[in-house]
């Protein structure tokens, strides 16, 4: 089992040197008393908590898993106690407005916790993470009375929550949902239906569970236009805040899954449950959309978190495992063989892991700052730019950080050889736990359609131009910086190509709507490689500056070498996706459904 | 759980139309009475057995797994009975020489069973597959007395076997092994040591287990030059063939693994076990090398088998699952949504699965024919060419069919969305079961070093030239075939590039031995994409001919469309690997071991 060590040095680099948190915090207003010292303190205590409290629960959570009996779920040993410690730190309300009882800090700070605690154990972290869902629904759509009834105990962690969207017959196509709401005489509704894949829908960690549920009010229009958002507690809440009777919300079963076994994935039955409407009838998706960027960035972080764990494990093993001699001469003469990190192909795998992990961190943390801007930004232009960039880059981050995260976790196993396949070493668990990240919260295919269809084509290319202009400006501003040309030349060329591919697909899509879908995932992956290139160029720039200033900190040397590795050995993949995006829908649409196999 | 249906039509196509089995069998001598009718009969009964007997054991094998207590292993329910049916069909000795008691049929026929039974359940198939290891060791290195003692009951399936190479401290670096053999006064040796990762090292399926074990005779040279191959039964065998006393061969434990849970992976302790030397002392690896091509092709087939299962499952789900409408207009007006196979990105995943699965089948079956030639070929030139091609292409097949196999299994899960992550649907099991294939029997990295170092550079480029000349000739012969130009043009260009990349890496390697390792996996993947292109071009050629002749069999239309998909959307990946292979060792060697993380 790899021992988790929070990558504080790299997180620090991204937050302070790449993204200049100090200036960022100064550009916000109403975001509590946020400053770099406070950020450091949260980072420090978060790292300790992740390393010492959460990480030890990861393997046992996978081995023991969750158990279901008579509607009750038993979570793995230690999960409840760790949850209580987590919420006692006040972290559940870190990014909740002060007016709603939270600390009101910018979400970019909370994201460091998401990464560290998630690397330590994603399955565990989902219990607190999912409690954030009804909190966000209430903050964004709840009445004052609803907030007062539910928020305080969600914020103290006495209660947790669950997000209830999927039904057996509808996942991506949420418009098909059937869960029914009937208005009562008072302000409540009666809910009937069955939801599946409800993470933490039932558990033994908190006294109550607050469900945020998408349902259709009787008589509402079909499809997306008839979906409302409700909140319903497992136990009804009396006016004095005490718990009342059980609310006909019961778990029918829990799923046996590939991974994340410590987190209970429930089938939830609502058999006439009392529920409260958030916002207006039929406008449930409006509230959901407000949460979507944050939820998707949070899932992108799962790719990062798994990648970080897998990289740490593989690196440590590569330094310990002795096997064969270096082809350039013995490196470990006192041992029976050299550590496998001497072998170039092992290094290729480690460098790939490092490039994707650190690139993901840069992207996720940047996007979190953009979310901060949309909420607290003082400068209107900057807020507008943040909104545009977020619209474009959120699906890119979700798709790309999870797809590459899955690759990195598989490389981690591969470095371990046969031992990677054995449970006790922990590497195969990371693969299994991370694998779902390309699926839930919108599959890679759904992200790709959101990107190319809704965001790029839907804005007439405007959202893309906001970013490509930014990249263009960046490259142009470094045209005379000799040590940056190795990065900015290909970045500028890819940036131009991004626009050309968009025009090409857009043109073809006027004739045939299937062109968009045929190009979508390749387009999203191309976008991801270019976005990472932009971030790696900036990271190289910071490193070059430090080295030029005389720093002999090997951290900067490594950063620069990784940027070069990314540009020379990873970024060429963008061309494959350019070809794929331009290949045309005929390549996939030619066969009838019954002609794929015989 | 996807229902397994043997892809008889495609197997038939590969064997008869692509690889002309009739002519192939006619070119062999001493390979039993092999003919196409016999092949069809084996194919037919193998398909029924795989579908009806083995496939139902796959999921239960994963769920129940193997159990270990007091040195005994209990295999999943039904495993033993299915094994007995398998061996009753005579399949255990299908490819064993008639003089040794087998049927003496060419191995290419047996490979169809490996695929079909392996697709149905790889975990189950390993019990019979691994019994093949001591059989092959005995056939290749055993004395007449040894053969008489052990072979008959291995062939009837009363006994099975295990292949015992790996020790805790040595996997890829087998030269470090410590298991010790001391010569006794008679013709036997006494073995002491511990092996790990021994598939089927202990089980409750057969009365006896024959271990083929690599060990070092006391006083032997260090490294690979001091390794001998032994055979040791779990129960000693009396001269009359009856079982004698227990031979101090015991399982210490079984591993908890990511997948293949139905197959027991044992820690084996040899505490003074009586063992018999095969061949000469210190020449154990010579015998092992004779088995290596077949073993590696067999593992390549695991990639194919997993891919086939995942493709079938995904295709069936894509036709059933209703979710969203086609962007080009409703296709299923009577349903609440269209089947997801209407969506271009779902089709992109299915086409990728189809292209890799059918490409793998073509490659594995071709190599099996080449193995037939090396054993039974009448024409000296053809035998020599087969040996050369096998040397080159076996590591390519092992690396490429398993790497792409893992990709295809993950795509299968992805098509299922969230349901793919749930155990009961069977898709995540295919991912877990197939994942080991890029690791055991030599990791992808080891295959790549074997390819570029031992085979290509080691032959001064000769082995590569045998194949690139063949491709060149193929392309040149179709230069006037109008409907083949879309394939042969890029194939010819990649074929030329293959030589150039080789020269480039070879040149750099004269200066720095790490250049080989740095380029190795990219080189192997490039080789794989070109090799598949050669096979897809030929498959397209067959399909074009049939279509030109007036066939309206949609099978040929699909074959041609898949070839086009491969050339347009998959083959461009070769260029990424060309760049990687040429990027130079500096990209990975720059950092000191302690500079990868801080």
């Amino acid at each position: 089992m790899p021992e988790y060590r929070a990558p504080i040095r790299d997180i620090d680099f991204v937050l302070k040197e790449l993204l200049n948190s100090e200036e960022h915090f100064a550009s916000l207003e109403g975001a509590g008393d946020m400053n770099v010292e406070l950020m450091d303190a949260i980072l420090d205590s978060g790292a300790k908590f992740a390393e010492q409290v959460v990480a030890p629960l990861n393997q046992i959570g996978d081995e023991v898993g969750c158990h279901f009996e008579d509607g009750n779920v038993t979570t793995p040993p230690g999960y409840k106690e760790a949850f209580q410690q987590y919420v006692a730190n006040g972290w559940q309300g870190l990014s909740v407005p002060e007016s709603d009882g939270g600390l009101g800090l910018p979400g970019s700070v909370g994201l460091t916790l998401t990464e560290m605690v998630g690397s330590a154990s994603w399955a565990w972290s989902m219990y607190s993470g999912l409690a954030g869902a009804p909190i966000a629904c209430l903050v964004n759509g709840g009445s004052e009375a609803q907030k007062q009834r539910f928020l305080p105990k969600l914020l103290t962690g006495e209660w947790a929550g669950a997000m209830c969207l999927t039904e057996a017959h509808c996942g991506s196509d949420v418009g098909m949902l059937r869960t029914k709401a009937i208005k009562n005489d008072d302000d409540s509704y009666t809910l009937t239906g069955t939801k599946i894949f409800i993470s933490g829908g039932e558990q033994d960690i908190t006294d109550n569970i607050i469900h945020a549920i998408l349902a259709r009010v009787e008589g509402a229009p079909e499809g997306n236009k008839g979906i409302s958002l409700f909140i319903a507690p497992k136990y009804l809440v009396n006016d004095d805040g005490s718990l009342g009777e059980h609310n006909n919300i019961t778990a029918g079963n829990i799923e046996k899954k590939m991974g994340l076994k410590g987190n209970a994935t429930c089938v939830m039955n609502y058999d006439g449950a009392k529920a409260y409407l958030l916002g207006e009838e039929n406008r449930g998706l409006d509230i959901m959309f407000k949460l979507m960027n944050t939820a998707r960035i949070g899932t992108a972080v799962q790719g990062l978190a798994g990648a970080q764990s897998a990289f740490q494990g593989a690196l440590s093993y590569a330094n310990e495992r002795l096997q064969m001699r270096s082809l350039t001469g013995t490196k470990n003469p006192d041992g029976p063989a050299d550590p496998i990190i001497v072998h170039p192909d092992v290094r290729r795998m480690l460098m790939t892991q490092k490039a994707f992990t650190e690139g993901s961190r840069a992207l996720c943390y940047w996007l979190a700052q953009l979310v901060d801007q949309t909420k607290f930004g003082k400068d209107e232009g900057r807020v507008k730019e943040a909104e545009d960039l977020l619209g474009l880059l959120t699906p890119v981050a979700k798709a790309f950080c999870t797809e590459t995260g899955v690759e990195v976790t598989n490389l981690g196993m591969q470095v371990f050889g046969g031992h990677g396949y054995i449970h006790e070493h922990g590497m195969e668990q990371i693969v299994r736990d991370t694998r779902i990240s390309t699926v839930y919260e919108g599959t890679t295919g759904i992200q790709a359609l959101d990107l190319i269809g809704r965001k790029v084509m839907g804005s007439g290319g405007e959202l893309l131009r906001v970013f490509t202009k930014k990249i263009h400006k960046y490259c142009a501003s470094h045209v005379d910086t000799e040590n940056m040309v190795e990065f900015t030349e290909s970045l500028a060329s890819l940036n131009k190509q991004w626009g050309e591919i968009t025009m090409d697909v857009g043109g073809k899509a006027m004739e045939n709507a299937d062109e968009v879908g045929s190009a979508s995932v390749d387009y999203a992956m191309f976008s991801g490689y270019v976005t990472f290139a932009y971030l790696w160029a900036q990271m190289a720039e910071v490193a070059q500056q430090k080295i030029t200033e005389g720093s002999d900190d090997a951290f900067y040397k490594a950063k620069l070498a990784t940027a070069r590795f990314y540009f020379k050995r990873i970024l060429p993949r963008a061309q494959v996706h350019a070809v794929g995006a331009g290949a045309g829908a005929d390549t996939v649409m030619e066969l009838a459904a019954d002609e794929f196999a015989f």
Side-chain angles (χ1 to χ4, degrees), chain A:
Chain A
M1 190 69 195
E3 192 185 7
Y4 177 64
R5 284 274 157 263
I8 292 293
R9 179 73 179 91
D10 200 63
I11 293 177
D12 249 359
F13 170 82
V14 170
L15 289 176
K16 295 177 187 166
E17 299 182 72
L18 179 70
L19 298 175
N20 198 349
S21 288
E22 193 170 350
E23 189 278 334
H24 171 67
F25 294 142
S27 75
L28 310 178
E29 67 185 349
D33 291 325
M34 198 58 218
N35 58 59
V36 171
E37 290 67 37
L38 180 53
M39 181 179 84
D40 284 344
I42 292 170
L43 207 53
D44 185 57
S45 47
K48 285 203 186 83
F49 179 77
E51 292 170 356
Q52 294 165 14
V53 180
V54 181
L57 302 176
N58 196 39
Q59 193 164 40
I60 194 171
D62 186 64
E63 287 165 0
V64 176
C66 292
H67 293 277
F68 179 81
E69 206 179 328
D70 295 334
N72 297 311
V73 168
T74 310
T75 58
Y79 268 43
K80 179 174 181 161
E81 294 72 18
F83 184 88
Q84 287 165 342
Q85 281 192 56
Y86 180 87
V87 296
N89 288 332
W91 289 334
Q92 204 63 302
L94 205 67
S95 311
V96 174
E98 285 179 277
S99 56
D100 289 325
L103 295 176
L105 301 182
S108 62
V109 179
L111 206 75
T112 62
L113 291 179
T114 307
E115 182 201 323
M116 294 187 295
V117 174
S119 267
S121 175
W122 196 265
W124 179 86
S125 78
M126 288 174 76
Y127 289 108
S128 54
L130 265 301
I135 293 175
C137 290
L138 283 161
V139 166
N140 282 283
S143 67
E144 275 315 304
Q146 288 170 336
K147 286 181 181 177
Q148 274 174 29
R149 188 180 289 256
F150 296 112
L151 273 182
K153 292 196 173 168
L154 280 166
L155 293 177
T156 58
E158 286 164 89
W159 303 346
M163 197 74 227
C164 315
L165 285 64
T166 303
E167 300 179 9
H169 66 290
C170 70
S172 302
D173 194 355
V174 71
M176 287 168 75
L177 67 80
R178 292 185 197 136
T179 297
K180 198 167 68 181
I182 299 179
K183 180 124 175 53
N184 300 327
D185 293 335
D186 60 6
D187 65 342
S188 71
Y189 290 73
T190 297
L191 237 61
T192 312
T194 298
K195 297 278 178 181
I196 64 165
F197 298 169
I198 309 307
S199 304
E202 181 54 68
Q203 34 83 351
D204 57 355
I205 291 176
T206 57
D207 298 338
N208 204 3
I209 303 172
I210 311 304
H211 294 248
I213 308 159
L214 290 184
R216 196 180 299 283
V217 176
E218 213 181 18
E222 294 209 344
N224 289 347
K225 288 175 185 167
I227 296 177
S228 305
L229 177 60
F230 295 90
I231 204 124
K234 173 179 167 187
Y235 291 103
L236 291 170
V237 179
N238 299 322
D239 287 339
D240 64 356
S242 63
L243 294 187
E245 59 183 309
H246 193 284
N247 188 19
N248 299 327
I249 296 180
T250 49
N253 207 347
I254 60 173
E255 306 286 354
K256 193 178 168 199
K257 311 188 299 291
M258 184 189 211
L260 297 183
K261 291 175 196 254
N263 196 275
T265 304
C266 304
V267 175
M268 294 304 305
N269 298 314
Y270 306 97
D271 298 317
K274 191 169 189 173
Y276 306 95
L277 178 71
L278 293 185
E280 293 173 40
E281 279 189 10
N282 303 333
R283 305 301 291 270
L285 293 183
D286 294 353
I287 303 172
M288 292 302 301
F289 267 111
K290 289 190 194 163
L291 320 181
M292 200 186 283
N293 281 345
T294 317
R296 290 187 167 178
I297 296 167
T299 309
V301 173
Q302 188 184 0
L304 160 62
Q308 176 65 39
S309 297
F311 175 48
Q312 282 193 359
L315 179 58
S316 144
Y317 189 77
N319 273 298
E320 284 162 18
R321 173 76 171 173
L322 307 181
Q323 206 80 168
M324 298 193 282
R325 294 295 182 187
S326 162
L327 289 179
T328 56
T330 296
K331 300 294 183 289
N332 176 36
D334 298 336
D338 290 336
I340 61 172
I341 200 169
V342 306
H343 304 307
D345 187 59
V346 171
R347 286 170 160 260
R348 179 191 58 82
M349 294 192 273
L350 293 171
M351 290 299 287
T352 305
Q353 292 189 295
K354 186 171 165 67
F356 280 136
T357 304
E358 297 176 3
S360 286
R361 182 171 295 121
L363 178 55
C364 292
Y365 285 31
W366 179 39
L367 295 193
Q369 280 196 350
L370 296 179
V371 175
D372 291 351
Q373 287 293 341
T374 64
K375 290 190 175 162
F376 306 107
K378 285 190 279 198
D379 180 302
E380 261 183 49
R382 207 160 157 181
V383 171
K384 176 71 173 67
E385 188 193 66
E387 281 166 354
D388 289 347
L389 289 173
L390 267 182
L392 182 81
L393 294 178
T394 299
V396 173
K398 164 63 171 76
F400 198 70
C401 298
T402 59
E403 288 288 341
T404 59
V406 169
E407 177 177 343
V408 170
T409 61
N410 273 288
L411 287 172
M413 250 189 86
Q414 194 71 18
V415 169
F416 269 68
H419 298 274
Y421 201 63
I422 307 299
H423 172 75
E424 64 174 300
H425 299 296
M427 300 306 285
E428 60 87 31
Q429 185 189 337
I430 304 175
V431 174
R432 288 186 288 105
D433 286 352
T434 308
R435 181 62 185 85
I436 189 64
S437 65
T438 68
V439 175
Y440 61 12
E441 200 55 43
T443 62
T444 300
I446 293 292
Q447 303 300 325
L449 281 179
D450 178 48
L451 171 69
I452 190 171
R454 207 166 147 265
K455 303 300 175 53
V456 176
M457 306 292 172
S459 73
E462 179 54 27
L463 292 195
L464 177 62
R465 275 192 298 274
V466 170
F467 190 38
T468 51
K469 272 187 192 166
K470 198 176 174 69
I471 297 176
H472 175 75
K473 228 162 123 179
Y474 178 78
C475 293
S477 74
H478 286 84
V479 78
D480 294 325
T481 320
E482 204 182 328
N483 63 16
M484 284 301 291
V485 173
E486 64 179 303
F487 305 112
T488 50
E489 256 187 19
S490 49
L491 176 59
S493 148
L494 282 162
N495 192 43
K496 187 160 164 286
Q497 194 181 7
W498 199 354
E500 291 159 1
I501 294 169
T502 307
M503 292 293 288
D504 174 46
V505 177
K508 285 193 279 199
M510 313 270 272
E511 306 288 318
N512 178 1
D514 277 339
E515 291 289 346
V516 172
S518 166
S520 57
V521 166
D522 276 311
Y523 186 87
M525 295 302 286
F526 180 90
S527 307
Y529 284 110
V530 180
T531 304
F532 268 36
Y534 172 59
L535 291 161
W536 268 115
Q538 291 175 75
M539 292 195 271
E541 184 191 359
V542 175
Q544 298 265 34
Q545 275 167 358
K546 294 287 177 179
I547 292 166
T548 307
E549 286 162 24
S551 168
D552 60 354
D553 186 343
F555 178 88
Y556 298 111
K557 174 188 160 190
K559 204 47 109 174
L560 188 57
T562 311
R564 287 186 174 133
F565 177 85
Y566 180 81
F567 272 77
K568 286 186 185 160
R569 295 195 74 153
I570 302 289
L571 191 52
R573 297 187 191 178
Q575 292 313 318
V576 171
H577 297 292
V579 173
D586 289 352
T587 54
V588 294
M589 300 309 295
E590 199 178 330
L591 298 183
D594 62 356
E595 291 174 346
F596 280 73
F598 297 85

